[in-house]
Amino acid sequence: MAPRILLTTLNAKYIHASLGLRYLLANMARHGGDDLRRCTVLREFTIHRPVAEVVEALLAELGPSEDGVQIIGCGVYIWNIAQTTEVLRLLKTLRPSVQLVLGGPEVSHELEAQEIVHWADFVVTGWGDVSFPKLCRSLVHGPRPLMKVIAGEQAPLDQIALPYAEYSDADLAHRLLYVEASRGCPFKCEFCLSSLDKTAWAFDLDAFLAALQGLYQRGARNFKFVDRTFNLKIDASVRILQFFLDRLPMADAGQPGGELFVHFEVVPDHLPERLKAMIAQFPPGVLQLEVGIQSFNVEVQQRISRRQDNDKTEANVRWLVAHSQAHLHTDLIFGLPGETLESFADGFDRLYALQPHEIQLGILKRLRGTPIARHSAAHGMVYASHAPYTVLHTGVVDAQTLQRFTRFSRYWDLVANSGRFAQTLALLLGAPAQPSPFYAFWGFADWLWQSRNATSGLSPEDLVDALFDYLGVQLGMAAQQVQAVLLADYVASGARSNPRALQGLLPRREAQPVDGASALVQRQQRHRSTSG
């Protein structure tokens, strides 16, 4: 009777294809054996799939329980732990003999109190590329491990098979492809699990680029690099960027897969001239850079062991906006130890003045295993006990303010990061009576919550009408001025409905949206679909 090994996870969205599971699949033959590779399959779901349906599909894939050893390896993350716990509970109820193996960042630290660990037979902490195949070999051929928790073996990268051939044609056609040229991070930012790494390790660049070429030849055009520090080693960064530059003419010529789109996460204060010269060569719509700033507060940065030259960061963002066509996604985190609302507002205004395309506003989470926990007592940090472990209040920010900021962040996504309200946003944040851009939007967010009592389900038309009411009635701006900017933004976005505030002002339906603004909206939507 042949064993059956099933790799699975619950992704946040269908477009997300699990890179971790594909590493396990790619390394089954090398570290488990050819026989185990032949009986291993990968099946992914989303967190929106009913638990009973997921379990039914998994058991159908395994076949009858008397067919031999059956193993399910589950990837567990902050976004799926609640649903995965229920999947494991039902699996063990319906088929107690199945061997359930957990792995992933959410089950690599602080295991003792986690319910999900109770339902598992084994847990692999840390790197699973080598340890999971070896565990499967032991479960199938013996001897069975004595310990439930297995510390993942961090093998040299040249002993880990690259996973990119495991992306299917359907993945290439419909999903974002996650790739990595390196693992780890040399920085020690205490809110991040990568702070536990000793350094960063790079895959052999020739082998990596050959794998990218294989994906490209198969039609892949969307690549999201998950490297924590893409621009750490400039020689490697330049070669990777050149790889994509060399393929732009082919992508533009209508080759299979559509136009090229590449996402990198960059260190904000490290942008030497060689890298600038490469970035400047990319046309619009191809290159997206995620710039993690998190906080401009020097005391907060030092407290959480974050090394960042704020002046260089500011200069680099300014250069990218002025001299490149890259789409800039910048990040700030609210609720860091000792960060007040006032100091965060100063940092927000400093970043907004640089005019990046997006400012993503996150709220601090206490990820399992991260050193940020050491500040809890001294700085009054209280976090939610369930995923995603968001901070509820701090010594300098009360719970009500954090709730207001949560709504602020949601509305900022809808109005600013959507790209639909560029001119209207400038009018709102630059109004003479407003103390600063941050507090201008803070006031709008409070008003919108009080008037609509919702942070979801708001259509672009609802927002047009809300902005008209707020700017015209609350701030006393001239109705014609407000209507003019709202009309320009609405038409440019390509929206085709009929908001109350624009009754009788919209052009004929055959009118086409303004290309530049419409493209911006499409880029924002594309980014949001690939996040998370």
Side-chain angles (χ1 to χ4, degrees), residues 426-436 475 477 481:
L427 183 64
L428 168 61
L429 302 191
Q434 300 295 344
S436 78
L475 299 188
M477 294 185 183
Q481 178 191 17

Side-chain angles (χ1 to χ4, degrees), residues 305-375:
S305 307
R306 181 173 178 81
R307 302 202 320 259
Q308 180 172 291
D309 186 318
N310 288 338
D311 291 337
K312 285 185 178 179
T313 293
E314 192 170 17
N316 288 338
V317 172
R318 185 179 293 109
W319 182 91
L320 288 166
V321 171
H323 300 289
S324 82
Q325 301 292 335
H327 178 78
L328 294 191
H329 167 101
T330 57
D331 297 318
L332 293 174
I333 296 177
F334 184 64
L336 291 167
E339 179 95 87
T340 65
L341 179 68
E342 292 73 21
S343 71
F344 183 89
D346 290 341
F348 176 96
D349 291 338
R350 184 173 180 177
L351 180 56
Y352 177 76
L354 303 176
Q355 292 295 291
H357 303 102
E358 293 184 67
I359 300 176
Q360 186 69 38
L361 301 172
I363 297 177
L364 179 65
K365 302 173 180 63
R366 194 200 74 80
L367 304 181
R368 292 185 183 275
T370 55
I372 198 76
R374 72 188 184 94
H375 299 291

Side-chain angles (χ1 to χ4, degrees), residues 300-463:
V300 171
Q301 290 170 349
Q302 293 173 345
R303 186 172 296 126
I304 62 171
S305 307
R306 181 173 178 81
R307 302 202 320 259
Q308 180 172 291
D309 186 318
N310 288 338
D311 291 337
K312 285 185 178 179
T313 293
E314 192 170 17
N316 288 338
V317 172
R318 185 179 293 109
W319 182 91
L320 288 166
V321 171
H323 300 289
S324 82
Q325 301 292 335
H327 178 78
L328 294 191
H329 167 101
T330 57
D331 297 318
L332 293 174
I333 296 177
F334 184 64
L336 291 167
E339 179 95 87
T340 65
L341 179 68
E342 292 73 21
S343 71
F344 183 89
D346 290 341
F348 176 96
D349 291 338
R350 184 173 180 177
L351 180 56
Y352 177 76
L354 303 176
Q355 292 295 291
H357 303 102
E358 293 184 67
I359 300 176
Q360 186 69 38
L361 301 172
I363 297 177
L364 179 65
K365 302 173 180 63
R366 194 200 74 80
L367 304 181
R368 292 185 183 275
T370 55
I372 198 76
R374 72 188 184 94
H375 299 291
S376 293
H379 290 278
M381 313 293 290
V382 176
Y383 301 90
S385 59
H386 55 275
Y389 315 115
T390 305
V391 66
L392 300 177
H393 64 80
T394 78
V396 292
V397 178
D398 61 26
Q400 182 182 20
T401 301
L402 268 158
Q403 290 171 350
R404 291 170 71 187
F405 185 85
T406 300
R407 296 191 289 267
F408 177 106
S409 174
R410 172 58 179 159
Y411 295 143
W412 181 261
D413 278 343
L414 293 174
V415 175
N417 289 339
S418 70
R420 291 180 173 274
F421 297 96
Q423 295 187 49
T424 310
L425 183 69
L427 183 64
L428 168 61
L429 302 191
Q434 300 295 344
S436 78
F438 177 87
Y439 287 110
F441 202 86
W442 186 260
F444 170 70
D446 280 348
W447 174 88
L448 186 58
W449 171 249
Q450 292 165 6
S451 63
R452 299 297 193 271
N453 198 33
T455 58
S456 60
L458 296 172
S459 69
E461 290 71 36
D462 292 331
L463 294 170

Side-chain angles (χ1 to χ4, degrees), residues 16 32 52 108 193 211 270 297 313 318 323 366 446 509 522 530:
H16 301 159
S108 289
L193 271 173
H270 186 53
N297 186 314
T313 293
R318 185 179 293 109
H323 300 289
R366 194 200 74 80
D446 280 348
R509 288 303 184 207
Q522 292 171 7
T530 63

